Amino acid sequence: MKDMLKSKFVGCLVGNAVGDALGSSFEGSWISEVKIERFSGRWTDDTHMMIGVAESLIANKGFDGSHMAQIFIKNYEREPWRGYASGPPRVFRWIRSGVAWNEAAKRLFGGAGSYGNGAAMRVAPVGVFYHDDLEQLRSVAYGQSRITHVHELGMEGAAIQAYAVALAVTADPSSELDSHAFLGRLKDFTHNEVYKRKLERVWRLLGETNKGRVARELGNGVEAYNSVPTAIYCFLRNWGSFEDSVLYAVSLGGDTDTIGAMTGAISGAHHGVEAIPERWKSGLEKGDYIEELAEKLWFVKSRK
Ligand code: F2R
Ligand code: MG
Ligand code: MG
């Protein structure tokens, strides 16, 4: 049981990176049914920031917003070419110039804050670390969002993605997954009507074979409310196979690296790292470091 939990921690973080790398060549393609011919293993900002979340949780044995913001800034300044959108780098510059870590993001989008999927695409370590404490999971998912994404829809997307990861951690991968029960728990968890309606749509579309319709009805864009429910859908309709879930996610087009990353995190947390194809694990950029981080996170958790 202890080994299974460790494998799920590693599967989640490695799954995030594999899904990101698989989708990275197709981001912005609006054609569904993209064909994945080779795996470069190179991941983008989604995994770069997910690593920052894990590094900070490990260093503090829990959440410290000021520390996490500094880690994001340090990692970004070392590798600014990872394909970041415009919001986070602007926030980093404001924090660098003296604005408080939990104030800077309020300046984005005319004061509305960002509802981009950036807070959800990196939240997986929060989902595994707090999988057995929903109050803390929600609070830390919101807390890490506040560094860059203060719009209610950006924050709620991160909390829902973290909870989907947590549900996957606690599910037994050798038994059939009850997709409707999984969705019911997510719907009860969410505080936001936009997401409740999207999760109802996920429910209705579970048997749909037309991918264009799935992408149109759920959304596959950069907004959290258009990609978090879609990633959950990709996992649920392919819950029996890590490989099928991430290939399906990327085949929907749109924000492929991000939907791939979020699907990979949920699916990896469900199955454990052994279910991720060797050809992808061995070709993954900094794969050993990501595995090591996941093991450290598990170690800190197991000592709590
Ligand atoms: N940046 C990208 N992809 C662009 C191309 C990358 C290319 N491959 C390259 O290397 O150059 N991908 C990454 O960004 C997405 C996550 O974005 P994040 O972190 O949420 O950023 P931001 O800027 O906060 O929001 C993204 C866009 O969402 C819209 N938006 C958000 N809030 C809004 C609001 N309140 N009002 C209006 N629009 C809002 C804007 O269009 C933002 O630009 C991931 O895909 C990641 O992979
Ligand atoms: Mg990206
Ligand atoms: Mg993306």
Side-chain angles (χ1 to χ4, degrees):
M1 197 58 215
K2 218 169 104 188
D3 284 350
M4 186 66 224
L5 189 61
K6 186 174 171 185
S7 169
K8 280 171 169 270
F9 271 57
V10 180
C12 179
L13 270 55
V14 171
N16 193 110
V18 163
D20 178 5
L22 267 178
S24 64
S25 313
F26 307 101
E27 190 182 26
S29 109
W30 295 100
I31 314 147
S32 58
E33 303 283 359
V34 292
K35 193 161 168 43
I36 298 151
E37 274 142 11
R38 71 184 189 89
F39 178 70
S40 76
R42 218 159 302 132
W43 36 260
T44 73
D45 57 329
D46 307 59
T47 301
H48 203 211
M49 295 202 83
M50 180 279 286
I51 286 174
V53 170
E55 287 174 338
S56 184
L57 289 176
I58 292 164
N60 297 289
K61 300 186 171 56
F63 179 63
D64 177 330
S66 171
H67 180 270
M68 193 176 282
Q70 290 305 324
I71 292 268
F72 286 166
I73 293 168
K74 185 185 77 177
N75 289 351
Y76 168 73
E77 287 176 350
R78 274 189 194 152
E79 298 178 353
W81 41 262
R82 290 269 180 202
Y84 283 77
S86 62
R90 292 177 72 201
V91 169
F92 300 157
R93 284 191 285 276
W94 286 324
I95 296 175
R96 261 242 182 265
S97 72
V99 181
W101 72 270
N102 52 357
E103 288 296 324
K106 295 179 185 167
R107 297 179 171 197
L108 286 178
F109 299 101
S114 175
Y115 51 61
N117 48 20
M121 73 190 185
R122 66 183 187 225
V123 80
V126 174
V128 287
F129 195 70
Y130 296 107
H131 69 271
D132 54 356
D133 184 344
L134 284 202
E135 214 173 295
Q136 277 286 93
L137 177 141
R138 186 193 294 280
S139 154
V140 176
Y142 288 164
Q144 66 85 35
S145 298
R146 270 187 203 102
I147 303 171
T148 50
H149 291 70
V150 296
H151 194 289
E152 184 191 347
L153 292 169
M155 292 179 59
E156 194 64 12
I160 294 170
Q161 169 66 12
Y163 187 40
V165 165
L167 287 174
V169 169
T170 49
D172 175 3
S174 61
S175 308
E176 187 167 344
L177 187 87
D178 183 341
S179 298
H180 291 106
F182 193 102
L183 273 171
R185 291 179 74 179
L186 283 171
K187 204 174 147 208
D188 289 344
F189 174 81
T190 182
H191 289 161
N192 182 282
E193 279 309 313
V194 172
Y195 283 101
K196 279 191 193 288
R197 284 198 297 274
K198 274 286 173 89
L199 292 170
E200 279 161 15
R201 244 183 252 180
V202 168
W203 186 303
R204 283 204 307 276
L205 286 166
L206 274 177
E208 179 61 57
T209 52
N210 181 332
K211 288 185 186 176
R213 183 161 176 225
V214 170
R216 267 193 316 277
E217 293 207 10
L218 295 181
N220 59 2
V222 74
E223 305 81 9
Y225 54 87
N226 280 328
S227 49
V228 171
T230 306
I232 291 163
Y233 176 85
C234 294
F235 165 64
L236 288 177
R237 73 163 295 146
N238 300 285
W239 64 264
S241 157
F242 176 87
E243 181 167 351
D244 291 351
S245 69
V246 288
L247 288 175
Y248 183 91
V250 175
S251 79
L252 289 181
D255 196 353
T256 48
D257 63 329
T258 304
I259 300 174
M262 295 190 293
T263 304
I266 305 169
S267 193
H270 179 63
H271 293 286
V273 68
E274 293 78 15
I276 301 177
E278 204 47 54
R279 69 184 190 286
W280 289 344
K281 279 188 290 201
S282 60
L284 186 65
E285 183 188 11
K286 297 190 183 168
D288 289 346
Y289 180 63
I290 295 170
E291 283 203 26
E292 197 184 300
L293 269 184
E295 284 174 11
K296 281 188 185 160
L297 196 63
W298 169 80
F299 184 80
V300 172
K301 174 74 184 175
S302 63
R303 295 286 171 291
K304 266 192 163 260

